[in-house]
Each structure stands twice: as structure tokens, then as C-alpha cells.
Amino acid sequence: MAIAAAHRSSTVRDIGLLIARVVLGVVFVAHGWQKIDQFGIAGVTENFRGLGVPLPELAAPFIAYLELIGGILLIVGLLTPIVGVLLTLDMVVAAILVHVSNGLFIDQGGWELVGVLGAGALALAAAGPGRLSVDHAYSGRRGARRRSASAATGETA
């Protein structure tokens, strides 16, 4: 009975992490795509310059592609801890440079959206992507190879 409850709990956790990854990933993809396709890197660069973002010529393409590619990586659950931290830092910088001075609410330019996105990305970086991810599939294969190698070494010893 305890094993079934633990399995059910683990399954619920994995489904929750999958939903969080997909929702956050879609939002990051949309924002990255908007920067690239709708505004253009030149437009984002000028916007960043006007907002006082340091090195806007480097920051604009880096952030646009980080959000686009990072969002895709979150959706599939690949390199989740690294991507989660990078997206968290992206949101922290956006909050500090642009949003905090406008208060909380997004309709007034506040930090609520970047705060939630950053917190979600950080939570995924800390918790990991769950079993329903490329990260898990890859680590599972690596672990199986390691166990096989250990067993083979143990048999010859």
C-alpha cells in the first residue's frame, strides 16, 4: 500500500512538473519569438538602450534567443537546471532594471509577470524536470550503462 501511494505521489509530481515546464516554456517561447519576429533584434536593442540595459547590442539577441530556445528546452525538459537558472537571472535583471520601480501589477509595468516567470524557472531548476523529460530519459540510460559496467566489473573481480 505504501509503495502504491509513493508511486501515485511520484506520478502526480511528474505530471505537475510537466505542466509547469510546458506552461512556462510556452510563455518564454512566445516572448522570445515576439522579440525576434515582431520587434526584431534591432528594435529590441533600441528598446533595451532606452531602458538603460547595459550592452544592449549583446543583451538583445542573447535575451531573445535565451527566451526562445530556453523555453523550448523547458518544454521538452532538456538541460532544465541550467536553463532554469539562466531564465531566472533573465527575469531578475528585467525586474530590477525595468519593473520593480513600477510596483507589482503588470498593467502598470510592474514586476508580477517577471516575478512569477522567474520563480517558476527557479523552482524547475531546483526540483528538476521530473520523469517525463529528456533529462530523465538521458540520465536513466546513463545510469543503466553505469550499472551494467559496475556489474561487469564486479563479475570479473
Side-chain angles (χ1 to χ4, degrees):
M1 180 107 133
I3 293 172
H7 179 70
R8 197 169 34 255
S9 173
S10 179
T11 300
V12 168
R13 177 185 180 275
D14 291 325
I15 291 170
L17 288 168
L18 173 64
I19 292 168
R21 284 194 349 257
V22 169
V23 170
L24 283 170
V26 165
V27 173
F28 277 114
V29 166
H31 282 267
W33 182 250
Q34 181 183 45
K35 285 175 178 69
I36 294 163
D37 185 60
Q38 185 178 348
F39 304 140
I41 296 300
V44 175
T45 301
E46 286 309 308
N47 185 41
F48 280 15
R49 182 174 286 114
L51 293 169
V53 175
L55 303 170
E57 297 81 11
L58 297 175
F62 178 78
I63 294 303
Y65 286 102
L66 170 63
E67 290 176 1
L68 177 68
I69 296 166
I72 293 167
L73 292 173
L74 279 185
I75 291 168
V76 300
L78 179 61
L79 303 173
T80 306
I82 295 165
V83 170
V85 167
L86 289 173
L87 289 170
T88 299
L89 293 172
D90 173 21
M91 295 298 99
V92 167
V93 171
I96 291 168
L97 292 180
V98 180
H99 298 284
V100 169
S101 63
N102 296 321
L104 175 64
F105 297 109
I106 193 66
D107 67 337
Q108 298 166 6
W111 61 268
E112 72 177 315
L113 178 62
V114 297
V116 169
L117 291 174
L122 183 60
L124 288 173
R131 290 181 297 168
L132 305 172
S133 67
V134 174
D135 282 343
H136 179 76
Y138 177 72
S139 69
R141 283 195 297 270
R142 235 183 30 213
R145 282 195 303 267
R146 236 182 277 139
R147 287 188 297 277
S148 290
S150 294
T153 304
E155 291 172 3
T156 59

